[in-house]
Amino acid sequence: MRKKKNTLTITQVAQEAGVSVQTVSRVMNNYEYVADGTRQHVQEVIKRLGYRPSGIARSLASRRSYTLGLVTSDLSDPFFALVAAGAEVEASRNNYFCILSSTERNLDDEARYVRMLTERFVEGIFLARPSTIYDDDHLAELIANGLPVVTTAYHLPASNLMVVDVDNVEGGYQAVAHLTRLGHRDIAMITGPMAYKSARDRLEGYCKALAEHSILYEEARVVVTDGWHYEDGYNAMNRLLLQPVSFTALFAQSDEMAIGAIRALKEAGKHVPADVSVIGYNDLDVSTYYDPPLTTIFQPKREIGVLGVQLLIQAIEHPGSVKGEFLLKTHLVERESCRRLE
Amino acid sequence: MRKKKNTLTITQVAQEAGVSVQTVSRVMNNYEYVADGTRQHVQEVIKRLGYRPSGIARSLASRRSYTLGLVTSDLSDPFFALVAAGAEVEASRNNYFCILSSTERNLDDEARYVRMLTERFVEGIFLARPSTIYDDDHLAELIANGLPVVTTAYHLPASNLMVVDVDNVEGGYQAVAHLTRLGHRDIAMITGPMAYKSARDRLEGYCKALAEHSILYEEARVVVTDGWHYEDGYNAMNRLLLQPVSFTALFAQSDEMAIGAIRALKEAGKHVPADVSVIGYNDLDVSTYYDPPLTTIFQPKREIGVLGVQLLIQAIEHPGSVKGEFLLKTHLVERESCRRLE
DNA sequence: TTGTACGCGTTATCAG
DNA sequence: CTGATAACGCGTACAA
């Protein structure tokens, strides 16, 4: 469909104001070297006519789009929703736009999206999604292409690839160290799928904390799930209860899984924290109001989005000035789901 | 910063292929009237050179951007996060892009965003946010301007303004009717702020259900909150417990508030549903795993996003072909937080 | 079926 | 300080 559009162009403003288009352009862009009188007059005409420049024409001429691609795996995951929220706010604060692309369905889509985004106007891409094993040819292609890319949970040496994430090794360590501090030694764990870097990192933190206290790693105490959700934690706990091992504490790698696990424990007649102490990971809103209020590891979610966009913009406006990996710190949030072992 | 960019233009492809730019353009856009041989040859050259057209130049020439503005109040609200997710997926399915704008901080921002969006490339705007009382001059301006607009929870007669939302009157009715069906007559309610249309609509549904059973509306049984969150429900329940009224059931206008209220009830030594039956609204993921599992009213969240974008695209591609209000239906999800009154 | 020439609305260049 | 004029990269009548 052919849009008639508000065909009010810079040329008409120039005519109406009796100046050249260039002068109008200069006024629009707050250039120096334009007489105060001229400026005011032009501004007045712009206002009177209600002139709005075309961002597209502007982009074409200036070769700048001020647009970022925000590729997120799934907004239904509160973690990524908050990362996205942080990213958008920071972008907007810097007068950038965010084009949203969720790759919910399958990761092959990501390649398609990224291609469409670059065909379009994007000056940089923020990949906010968990890292699993997947085809990253398109990522390599982008990077080779020189487009600044910020990603969570990934590794690939390249000058214009930046990683921003949570320090999950440290986070896992904090969780388990808290448990050991409370006197626990038989500590079970429900992990996310091993395809996820975050799951492997938290596992590493778990092992590190155990090692520090000379606690043997007991495979039967660790259950790997297919996902990170309530039902995964619920099912995992039911499996765990079948194992011929005892445990006085549980580290669930997500608050969702912690809650699912607690539900399974309750159904099995076990009390939290009386019989089993449970610590989660992420710090959801609901965790404060769960029964019992969930002790957990807080992750700075919005901050990831904010920092990611800051890095991206920095890389766009000053190529080569930033690179590397940026890990944000987690911290313990004590509530009532863990107790000291007498 | 001046980007060198992949200055691989259609002209170069044309030269390389020994044809005119127009032929390349025709091939790119799958036009008819191109000899098969020519088409294949051009396609081969395009592939070999790795040519990607510039979306910006394309937009400028064709006056189409295939971009939608997605204005959402706050991605940290799971409701709107899911609406946004649905919207994005549907947009992408139709080869449209979504520019994300969250107006988290204050509603004045919305005007600014909307202005920036239109200055830019947006062909339509989807306002996915609760309706409160706010300055809607910019909305009226947009509509007057002829830009298709879809919004949730709002009313304004205009040919190119479409509303897509949940039928909250019916939803509120379903919740309370369920309670009366179980024999309850003393039904308390915790509502969201009255500035929200959704809160007022659910209140209307509440009143309707009461009226049907000749139950008197008792003001002391209704608590209005400042928000929709866990703590609001928690505080509201504590206030309610101070009132000189009894109640055997509670309708909380959001699952978050229901959960907060249950927590307050527990702290007050009351059991759910033994002492008080509680029904929520929305059906969060966590509600299934709460203790007790929460009976609630399900809202089709993603569907709102999907439908909103469908309407928007329809309005863009066939102006005037759609208009009006589209209300999606809620339904009851029975779990364990309500019991039959003996 | 293919090519030419112009337009889209703005910024950049370079004189003046 | 200001103004022509040339890009920017592609779509589109119109002509061939």
Side-chain angles (χ1 to χ4, degrees):
Chain A
M1 47 133 305
R2 202 87 2 271
K3 258 201 298 187
K4 281 217 205 75
K5 213 168 192 178
N6 222 349
T7 311
L8 178 56
T9 77
I10 198 173
T11 313
Q12 303 182 31
V13 175
Q15 286 179 344
E16 181 73 19
V19 297
S20 75
V21 292
Q22 186 48 278
T23 299
V24 178
S25 173
R26 279 194 269 255
V27 171
M28 288 296 307
N29 297 298
N30 282 318
Y31 266 41
E32 40 196 355
Y33 301 132
V34 50
D36 277 359
T38 321
R39 179 184 300 277
Q40 283 182 20
H41 176 221
V42 172
Q43 275 167 341
E44 192 266 319
V45 173
I46 287 173
K47 189 160 193 176
R48 178 158 51 78
L49 266 46
Y51 166 69
R52 320 230 142 247
S54 149
I56 297 193
R58 214 178 230 197
S59 291
L60 182 59
S62 68
R63 303 175 138 294
R64 295 283 269 115
S65 69
Y66 291 95
T67 305
L68 271 24
L70 178 55
V71 179
T72 172
S73 63
D74 190 352
L75 252 26
S76 69
D77 182 329
F79 179 84
F80 290 108
L82 285 178
V83 171
E88 194 282 330
V89 168
E90 184 63 17
S92 157
R93 217 175 59 74
N94 290 278
N95 295 313
Y96 277 74
F97 292 97
C98 277
I99 293 207
L100 182 63
S101 305
S102 59
T103 57
E104 297 197 27
R105 289 134 305 177
N106 60 74
L107 278 162
D108 294 340
D109 278 355
E110 190 168 296
R112 203 184 113 243
Y113 275 129
V114 160
R115 213 171 296 272
M116 290 179 70
L117 287 174
T118 52
E119 275 189 25
R120 210 120 191 112
F121 15 61
V122 163
E123 297 194 50
I125 292 191
F126 186 5
L127 265 20
R129 41 107 184 96
S131 98
T132 56
I133 292 115
Y134 67 97
D135 177 356
D136 46 283
D137 285 352
H138 59 286
L139 223 187
E141 180 186 328
L142 277 184
I143 294 170
N145 206 31
L147 195 71
V149 177
V150 169
T151 178
T152 54
Y154 196 69
H155 259 111
L156 201 70
S159 62
N160 54 332
L161 190 259
M162 293 155 289
V163 175
V164 47
D165 206 346
V166 147
D167 187 340
N168 281 304
V169 177
E170 173 69 12
Y173 175 81
Q174 286 170 352
V176 181
H178 177 61
L179 262 14
T180 59
R181 216 177 298 125
L182 292 176
H184 294 276
R185 293 184 63 84
D186 299 340
I187 302 173
M189 175 168 66
I190 298 176
T191 88
M194 279 302 133
Y196 289 77
K197 184 173 190 300
S198 47
R200 297 194 301 272
D201 284 353
R202 289 168 204 177
L203 166 61
E204 187 181 331
Y206 170 86
C207 292
K208 190 179 150 203
L210 291 191
E212 267 190 8
H213 293 265
S214 313
I215 303 173
L216 223 59
Y217 175 90
E218 190 82 60
E219 190 156 352
R221 288 210 179 89
V222 176
V223 179
V224 180
T225 66
D226 298 329
W228 299 84
H229 299 294
Y230 298 99
E231 76 235 50
D232 298 307
Y234 179 80
N235 295 333
M237 177 49 75
N238 283 329
R239 261 189 289 157
L240 201 52
L241 289 171
L242 260 39
Q243 296 284 328
V245 288
S246 64
F247 52 92
T248 61
L250 167 73
F251 168 33
Q253 284 194 356
S254 78
D255 278 13
E256 285 95 335
M257 294 198 298
I259 287 173
I262 290 175
R263 168 131 213 100
L265 282 168
K266 284 181 180 173
E267 288 181 9
K270 309 236 180 198
H271 295 275
V272 176
D275 299 321
V276 180
S277 290
V278 175
I279 185 167
Y281 201 99
N282 188 16
D283 195 18
L284 293 177
D285 284 347
V286 72
S287 301
T288 312
Y289 285 89
Y290 199 68
D291 185 15
L294 192 65
T295 295
T296 191
I297 300 297
F298 171 85
Q299 303 189 87
K301 299 166 270 291
R302 302 187 104 89
E303 286 74 6
I304 290 180
V306 170
L307 177 59
V309 164
Q310 283 173 344
L311 292 173
L312 208 44
I313 293 178
Q314 178 71 16
I316 289 167
E317 303 190 343
H318 307 285
S321 68
V322 286
K323 61 178 68 174
E325 189 177 46
F326 300 79
L327 291 187
L328 298 179
K329 291 301 177 191
T330 55
H331 67 257
L332 175 69
V333 180
E334 279 199 71
R335 287 198 275 254
E336 298 166 31
S337 62
C338 295
R339 74 170 187 105
R340 174 169 300 282
L341 210 60
E342 309 301 336
Chain B
M1 47 134 307
R2 205 81 7 266
K3 258 204 296 186
K4 284 219 203 73
K5 211 168 193 179
N6 225 351
T7 311
L8 178 57
T9 78
I10 198 174
T11 313
Q12 303 183 29
V13 175
Q15 287 180 344
E16 181 74 18
V19 298
S20 76
V21 292
Q22 179 51 350
T23 302
V24 179
S25 174
R26 280 195 269 256
V27 170
M28 290 294 306
N29 297 303
N30 283 318
Y31 267 40
E32 38 197 355
Y33 302 134
V34 171
D36 277 0
T38 320
R39 180 184 297 278
Q40 283 182 20
H41 177 217
V42 172
Q43 275 168 342
E44 191 265 319
V45 173
I46 286 173
K47 189 158 194 178
R48 179 155 53 77
L49 265 45
Y51 167 70
R52 323 229 137 251
S54 150
I56 297 192
R58 213 178 234 197
S59 292
L60 184 59
S62 68
R63 301 174 141 295
R64 296 282 271 119
S65 69
Y66 291 95
T67 304
L68 271 25
L70 178 54
V71 179
T72 172
S73 64
D74 190 354
L75 252 25
S76 68
D77 184 329
F79 179 84
F80 291 109
L82 285 179
V83 172
E88 194 282 330
V89 168
E90 184 63 16
S92 157
R93 218 174 60 74
N94 291 278
N95 294 314
Y96 276 74
F97 291 97
C98 276
I99 293 206
L100 182 64
S101 304
S102 59
T103 58
E104 296 197 30
R105 290 134 304 178
N106 60 75
L107 278 162
D108 295 340
D109 278 356
E110 189 169 296
R112 203 185 111 244
Y113 275 128
V114 161
R115 212 170 295 272
M116 291 181 68
L117 287 174
T118 51
E119 276 188 23
R120 213 125 192 108
F121 15 62
V122 165
E123 297 192 51
I125 292 191
F126 186 6
L127 265 20
R129 41 107 184 98
S131 97
T132 56
I133 293 116
Y134 66 97
D135 177 357
D136 46 282
D137 284 352
H138 59 285
L139 223 186
E141 182 186 327
L142 277 183
I143 294 169
N145 205 30
L147 195 71
V149 176
V150 169
T151 178
T152 54
Y154 197 68
H155 261 112
L156 201 70
S159 62
N160 53 334
L161 191 256
M162 293 157 288
V163 175
V164 48
D165 206 346
V166 148
D167 187 341
N168 281 302
V169 176
E170 171 70 12
Y173 174 81
Q174 286 170 352
V176 180
H178 178 61
L179 263 14
T180 58
R181 215 177 299 127
L182 292 177
H184 295 274
R185 293 185 64 86
D186 300 339
I187 302 173
M189 175 168 67
I190 298 177
T191 89
M194 278 302 132
Y196 290 78
K197 183 173 192 301
S198 47
R200 297 194 301 273
D201 284 353
R202 289 168 204 177
L203 166 61
E204 187 181 332
Y206 169 86
C207 292
K208 188 180 152 202
L210 291 191
E212 270 190 6
H213 294 264
S214 314
I215 303 172
L216 222 59
Y217 175 90
E218 190 81 62
E219 187 155 354
R221 289 209 178 90
V222 176
V223 179
V224 180
T225 67
D226 297 329
W228 299 85
H229 300 293
Y230 298 100
E231 76 236 49
D232 298 307
Y234 179 80
N235 295 333
M237 177 49 74
N238 282 328
R239 260 188 289 156
L240 202 51
L241 290 171
L242 260 38
Q243 297 284 329
V245 288
S246 64
F247 51 92
T248 61
L250 167 74
F251 168 34
Q253 284 195 357
S254 77
D255 278 13
E256 285 95 333
M257 295 198 297
I259 287 173
I262 291 175
R263 168 131 211 98
L265 282 168
K266 283 181 181 173
E267 287 180 10
K270 310 236 181 197
H271 296 275
V272 176
D275 299 320
V276 181
S277 289
V278 176
I279 186 166
Y281 201 99
N282 188 15
D283 194 18
L284 293 177
D285 284 346
V286 73
S287 300
T288 313
Y289 286 90
Y290 199 68
D291 185 15
L294 191 66
T295 294
T296 191
I297 300 296
F298 172 85
Q299 302 190 88
K301 300 166 269 290
R302 301 187 105 89
E303 286 74 7
I304 290 181
V306 170
L307 178 58
V309 164
Q310 284 172 346
L311 292 172
L312 208 45
I313 292 177
Q314 178 70 16
I316 290 168
E317 304 191 342
H318 306 285
S321 67
V322 286
K323 60 178 66 173
E325 191 177 44
F326 300 80
L327 291 187
L328 298 179
K329 291 301 179 193
T330 54
H331 67 255
L332 174 69
V333 180
E334 279 198 71
R335 286 199 275 255
E336 299 166 31
S337 63
C338 295
R339 75 171 186 103
R340 174 169 299 281
L341 209 59
E342 308 304 336

